[in-house]
Amino acid sequence: MKILVQISRVIVGALFIFSGFVKLVDPIGSQYKFEEYFAEDVLNMGFLIPYALLFSIVLIVAEILLGVMILIGYKPKITVWSLFLLTLVFLFLTWYSAYYNKVTDCGCFGDAVKLSTWGTFYKNIYLIAFIIILMIGLKHIKPIFSGKIPKLITFISLGIFMFIIQHVLTHLPIIDFRAYAIGKNLEQGMIFPEDGSIPPVHDFMLEDEQSDLAPELLKKEKVMLVIVYNLDKIDENGYPAIKEVATKAKEKGYLVYGVSASFTDDLILAKEKHQLPFDFLFCDETTLKTMIRANPGVMILDKGTVTQKKNWIDVDELEL
């Protein structure tokens, strides 16, 4: 039993740390996932949508911190019961997603690892089993360090995790697991896999009033896309920086377009009000949220390959 508890301890701790880490570097992705769950056609809890980012941060920090705590053996009783309750929540959400086919990707491993809805549910079944082993053999979970060292490690870890979250919310994810990461070619990402599944890059269209300009723009060497997925949620402080960098880019021969899912009339008004030196194209809001975790943000393309991405606060760092 003692050996079984230690094996379960390592498996549970490692899984929670990995799952928490891939979301820690991109908490906005988890925010979007909570918004999906809270939507009217899923859990019908729309009143919680404004707090989706807060839920995301609390869940991520709890997940990765509990993983650290079980590995080092800090407060094992509280830790194991917290792991059990948190996994029960995951179990319900993944069952709901699988049974009702509502949220086809629960985001349990962020964008790093994609599992089917039922695959994710069964993963949580196995996880619950390991945690039950820990509950039964609780007396065998001992701290790996003596004295106050486990407590110190826990609080230092908490501080590091909060710093990382603050950093990525201010700038962009430290690690980008998405198909629009720097170095990825969007045209290659549109190729259908041999198994017939949906390609990583889909619903990517850059439409004006007449046609989709995406095929043409993906062949150009110097393209700047200013991404504003929703005008109502834009950070108003970003307009001056966006205007300045777009003007510089045009002077250096870049094709510059804004891309948004907002209504055309609203975009025209925003362009006139803030004297933006570019026209807007339309693209699906979910696609824009996937492309960059900023509103507004800037993406540079070179023949369809993403070469640079910046939140508006860092656009002065772009190499034009």
Side-chain angles (χ1 to χ4, degrees):
M1 187 60 181
K2 185 175 182 181
I3 295 174
L4 193 57
V5 166
Q6 301 312 318
I7 292 174
S8 300
R9 176 180 178 179
V10 171
I11 291 174
V12 172
L15 192 61
F16 267 79
I17 289 174
F18 175 73
S19 178
F21 175 78
V22 295
K23 295 194 285 286
L24 182 75
V25 297
D26 183 16
I28 292 181
S30 295
Q31 173 193 351
Y32 295 155
K33 195 57 60 178
F34 269 110
E35 290 174 354
E36 283 188 61
Y37 275 111
F38 294 151
E40 183 178 353
D41 60 338
V42 184
L43 296 177
N44 193 23
M45 302 173 71
F47 63 95
L48 291 177
I49 290 179
Y51 308 102
L53 180 58
L54 177 61
F55 276 100
S56 167
I57 293 172
V58 171
L59 176 66
I60 292 168
V61 172
E63 191 174 5
I64 191 170
L65 195 63
L66 287 172
V68 171
M69 290 169 66
I70 194 64
L71 284 182
I72 65 175
Y74 181 61
K75 293 192 178 295
K77 186 174 182 179
I78 294 175
T79 301
V80 170
W81 274 100
S82 297
L83 288 167
F84 180 71
L85 294 175
L86 192 58
T87 306
L88 281 182
V89 174
F90 293 155
L91 190 65
F92 167 74
L93 291 177
T94 52
W95 169 82
Y96 189 93
S97 298
Y99 188 81
Y100 291 101
N101 196 31
K102 289 291 187 179
V103 181
T104 55
D105 175 16
C106 74
C108 294
F109 294 111
D111 291 294
V113 179
K114 299 292 184 181
L115 298 176
S116 67
T117 50
W118 282 114
T120 308
F121 172 74
Y122 291 129
K123 180 267 294 180
N124 286 324
I125 290 288
Y126 294 131
L127 186 57
I128 282 282
F130 284 120
I131 294 174
I132 290 175
I133 291 172
L134 295 178
M135 297 172 74
I136 295 171
L138 191 62
K139 64 181 180 181
H140 299 301
I141 303 176
K142 305 295 183 182
I144 62 173
F145 300 107
S146 60
K148 296 184 178 180
I149 295 179
K151 181 178 181 179
L152 185 62
I153 292 174
T154 300
F155 281 92
I156 290 175
S157 298
L158 177 61
I160 292 172
F161 300 151
M162 295 306 297
F163 172 79
I164 291 174
I165 284 180
Q166 188 277 333
H167 177 83
V168 298
L169 289 178
T170 303
H171 304 282
L172 287 179
I174 298 172
I175 304 174
D176 193 345
F177 297 104
R178 287 158 287 142
Y180 299 90
I182 293 175
K184 298 283 188 178
N185 184 276
L186 303 190
E187 284 190 302
Q188 292 178 2
M190 295 178 185
I191 299 173
F192 278 85
E194 294 182 1
D195 60 4
S197 60
I198 298 175
V201 177
H202 57 276
D203 296 332
F204 179 76
M205 295 176 288
L206 304 174
E207 299 176 314
D208 62 9
E209 295 179 353
Q210 297 178 339
S211 62
D212 178 17
L213 300 183
E216 174 187 343
L217 294 178
L218 290 179
K219 298 186 185 307
K220 302 290 185 181
E221 290 187 353
K222 302 171 75 173
V223 177
M224 172 181 285
L225 300 179
V226 178
I227 299 169
V228 182
Y229 76 81
N230 189 320
L231 273 179
D232 294 334
K233 299 179 180 179
I234 191 173
D235 189 332
E236 296 278 342
N237 297 320
Y239 279 118
I242 291 300
K243 176 184 175 182
E244 182 179 351
V245 74
T247 301
K248 289 181 180 178
K250 293 187 76 170
E251 291 173 353
K252 295 192 176 185
Y254 280 79
L255 281 172
V256 182
Y257 285 99
V259 190
S260 180
S262 295
F263 291 112
T264 302
D265 291 345
D266 294 334
L267 294 170
I268 292 173
L269 290 174
K271 176 184 175 181
E272 293 176 351
K273 178 181 178 180
H274 300 283
Q275 299 181 328
L276 301 176
F278 50 80
D279 295 323
F280 277 94
L281 302 175
F282 175 82
C283 185
D284 175 73
E285 182 170 322
T286 300
T287 300
L288 295 177
K289 288 178 176 180
T290 306
M291 289 170 65
I292 192 168
R293 305 300 200 205
N295 191 40
V298 172
M299 177 181 286
I300 304 293
L301 301 177
D302 181 357
K303 293 184 178 180
T305 297
V306 180
T307 58
Q308 298 182 76
K309 290 168 68 172
K310 295 291 181 183
N311 196 325
W312 70 264
I313 201 168
D314 297 315
V315 291
D316 58 334
E317 299 176 5
L318 288 169
E319 297 178 7
L320 301 176

